[in-house]
Amino acid sequence: MLFKRGFASSNLANYYDIVINGGGMIGSVLACKLAKNTALRDVSVLLVESSPEKNWDAELRKEAGSFSNRVSSLNENTKTLLQNVDIWEALKSISCHGVSQIKVWGYGSKNIATTFDVDDVKTFDNLAYIVENHILIAAAMKELLTLKDNVHVLHNSSISTFNLPQSDENNVKIRLNDGSPIECGILLGTDGANSKVRQAMGVQYISWNYNQRAIVATLKINQNEKNNTAWQKFLPNGPIALLPLADDVSSLVWTTSPDHAKTLLSLSDESFVDALNTALFEEPVPDVLTENVSNVISKVLNALKVPEKRKNIIPPTITDVVENSRSSFPLGFGHAANYVAPRVALIGDAAHKVHPLAGQGVNLGFADIQCFDSVLTKHKSFGAKLGCANCLNEYETSRQRNNVPKLVAIDLIQKIAGHQWPPLLMATNAALQISDAVPQIKKCLINSAAA
């Protein structure tokens, strides 16, 4: 039974079955997913978000040709989730650009590269979809306006104190920044890498900085054909990625050292474009060992009748950077040893933070949503108490088994790719060469990234 004793100053209840702390991409889509689950129709949800409420229709009426510098790469699994919560069509019509090819090359040889093509798997429309973060949030928030019977969205609010139970026999007790006390059956932390929910749980959090910064910007490009390719070049300081937004516009994510990032941000737009084109088109430093190993691999592949398709990579030329679109942020790794505690669960970046080089960060969070919703539905159908230990533990086990291998793999790539030490340089280029030649490897990598 829900308690609906409201406060005089608001229509808040003092009990909700589920409270979600954080209304970014993960929190807003999570609220939609729970509200649209018919098995949870009697479950009340409160979404607490610190930012002010906006005119979501106006947010979705973006000016033609204008793009934010903060974008995300969504995989096929995330697309399915967004379709299920009825916000994909809004994204598709406003801010969604398909990626049918991904070209990756390194620093050891201009001839060694890997091209991932949607035709390699023939089961997806695209390998990825590039969307603007704020448009995705606006689409989800607009959809939540149609779900007021199930979800109460509270803007300009935050949780000031947490009183977490020691067992699942008791509820979570929180207090909002305006002093309002609330109890809930489950508290969900979707409040990002600096999660207050995680801090209140007191769980071990393994983290380190990469001593790198990501420069993001919106670029004008010279592209003679349809811009549906994502480009990534590994350099000694980190990768450069170009993500398509329109036929003549791409989004930049340039990972580099803090000092270099500071220098790049201080340049004029014209000088920045020159520096970026130089980095993209500069010939790699010749490495005899790498070339010799590459030749040996070619002979082995030919002997095994595995044809190589070596081609020089020619990325698009950058013609301009959109004024005031450049910014940067630090990069690091983070993983919570536990995703759950009695009546509490972490979802998205609150539980795990990963380097952006593989474009998997937000997709892992959306996969968390699907898993949590599925596990909650399963245990509710068994008649289990909402937020029971078995339910939350199953969510944690399932997601850690999926997330940890990917986090480790991405961290390993970050540490190896682009490195100038000859053995690592050789290993990186050998991996690119073999993966490009063997279709089974490509298909496995694409399917893994899409899940």
Side-chain angles (χ1 to χ4, degrees):
M1 177 67 68
L2 303 182
F3 298 95
K4 293 291 186 180
R5 296 178 301 219
F7 298 103
S9 59
S10 73
N11 59 355
L12 271 179
N14 57 7
Y15 175 86
Y16 288 88
D17 293 307
I18 299 174
V19 170
I20 303 171
N21 188 43
M25 289 189 290
I26 298 300
S28 58
V29 172
L30 172 61
C32 287
K33 182 63 173 172
L34 296 176
K36 287 178 176 287
N37 185 338
T38 56
L40 304 176
R41 63 171 61 91
D42 59 340
V43 172
S44 59
V45 178
L46 173 66
L47 175 60
V48 180
E49 168 55 29
S50 60
S51 67
E53 185 172 11
K54 299 178 181 178
N55 182 328
W56 303 117
D57 283 315
E59 288 290 304
L60 293 172
R61 289 195 297 269
K62 59 176 287 182
E63 181 181 347
S66 67
F67 297 93
S68 166
N69 64 357
R70 298 305 300 268
V71 304
S72 292
S73 174
L74 307 183
N75 64 16
E76 194 70 21
N77 192 47
T78 297
K79 173 188 172 183
T80 300
L81 168 64
L82 299 181
Q83 286 175 327
N84 290 340
V85 297
D86 299 319
I87 65 176
W88 179 253
E89 289 304 316
L91 283 178
K92 186 178 177 181
S93 64
I94 300 166
S95 174
C96 180
H97 199 83
V99 177
S100 60
Q101 279 192 336
I102 302 173
K103 294 181 182 288
V104 183
W105 74 110
Y107 200 64
S109 173
K110 65 181 180 180
N111 296 320
I112 300 175
T114 295
T115 298
F116 298 98
D117 196 297
V118 70
D119 290 336
D120 293 333
V121 289
K122 301 183 185 302
T123 54
F124 309 140
D125 293 329
N126 285 286
L127 297 177
Y129 301 87
I130 310 303
V131 303
E132 296 168 85
N133 295 354
H134 77 285
I135 296 293
L136 196 158
I137 293 171
M141 286 294 186
K142 181 182 178 182
E143 186 64 24
L144 285 173
L145 293 176
T146 70
L147 302 169
K148 290 183 178 181
D149 289 343
N150 304 84
V151 181
H152 186 147
V153 182
L154 194 60
H155 288 278
N156 288 314
S157 295
S158 60
I159 300 175
S160 58
T161 59
F162 300 84
N163 186 351
L164 307 185
Q166 297 302 307
S167 75
D168 63 359
E169 295 300 317
N170 299 306
N171 291 325
V172 174
K173 296 180 180 180
I174 59 175
R175 189 172 294 274
L176 301 180
N177 58 335
D178 67 356
S180 301
I182 293 175
E183 288 191 27
C184 61
I186 306 176
L187 173 64
L188 300 179
T190 59
D191 46 348
N194 298 315
S195 171
K196 290 185 176 180
V197 174
R198 188 185 68 238
Q199 294 169 19
M201 291 167 64
V203 299
Q204 182 184 12
Y205 186 64
I206 303 165
S207 65
W208 53 79
N209 294 320
Y210 286 125
N211 194 32
Q212 292 178 323
R213 293 188 72 87
I215 295 177
V216 293
T218 305
L219 308 172
K220 294 288 187 178
I221 65 170
N222 182 13
Q223 182 79 344
N224 295 324
E225 53 190 32
K226 188 174 178 62
N227 184 22
N228 57 8
T229 299
W231 306 82
Q232 186 168 54
K233 181 179 183 180
F234 284 95
L235 296 173
N237 284 334
I240 296 177
L242 303 180
L243 308 174
L245 290 173
D247 283 346
D248 62 344
V249 182
S250 286
S251 183
L252 170 71
V253 184
W254 186 350
T255 300
T256 189
S257 67
D259 288 343
H260 189 216
K262 185 177 180 180
T263 298
L264 290 172
L265 290 174
S266 69
L267 297 176
S268 66
D269 287 350
E270 183 178 357
S271 296
F272 179 79
V273 169
D274 289 342
L276 179 53
N277 280 320
T278 297
L280 285 170
F281 288 93
E282 186 176 39
E283 294 288 343
V285 177
D287 182 80
V288 176
L289 177 61
T290 297
E291 292 291 349
N292 288 340
V293 171
S294 174
N295 291 333
V296 170
I297 292 174
S298 291
K299 291 178 181 178
V300 172
L301 292 172
N302 288 331
L304 295 173
K305 302 187 185 307
V306 178
E308 286 190 276
K309 300 177 182 178
R310 287 201 183 192
K311 293 181 180 179
N312 285 348
I313 294 290
I314 306 176
T317 300
I318 312 305
T319 60
D320 199 4
V321 57
V322 174
E323 188 177 6
N324 298 321
S325 69
R326 278 181 285 165
S327 63
S328 76
F329 54 90
L331 300 177
F333 174 95
H335 187 255
N338 298 99
Y339 292 4
V340 303
R343 301 280 190 165
V344 186
L346 302 174
I347 294 178
D349 281 1
H352 41 75
K353 178 183 178 183
V354 69
H355 197 287
L357 66 86
Q360 287 300 300
V362 73
N363 291 304
L364 295 179
F366 285 126
D368 290 349
I369 292 175
Q370 291 172 300
C371 178
F372 181 82
D373 177 75
S374 174
V375 170
L376 194 65
T377 301
K378 170 186 169 182
H379 283 265
K380 190 172 185 297
S381 71
F382 294 161
K385 181 170 55 178
L386 191 72
C388 69
N390 288 341
C391 172
L392 298 186
N393 289 337
E394 182 177 339
Y395 160 73
E396 177 184 82
T397 300
S398 176
R399 289 312 299 154
Q400 288 200 344
R401 285 177 178 172
N402 182 279
N403 290 338
V404 171
K406 292 181 179 180
L407 293 171
V408 171
I410 293 170
D411 182 65
L412 186 62
I413 293 172
Q414 188 278 331
K415 288 177 167 55
I416 293 177
H419 205 293
Q420 289 183 291
W421 187 46
L424 289 182
L425 186 64
M426 177 190 68
T428 300
N429 283 276
L432 287 172
Q433 186 177 357
I434 293 171
S435 65
D436 192 58
V438 182
Q440 293 83 354
I441 295 178
K442 279 190 180 182
K443 187 173 182 178
C444 179
L445 291 172
I446 291 171
N447 286 330
S448 176

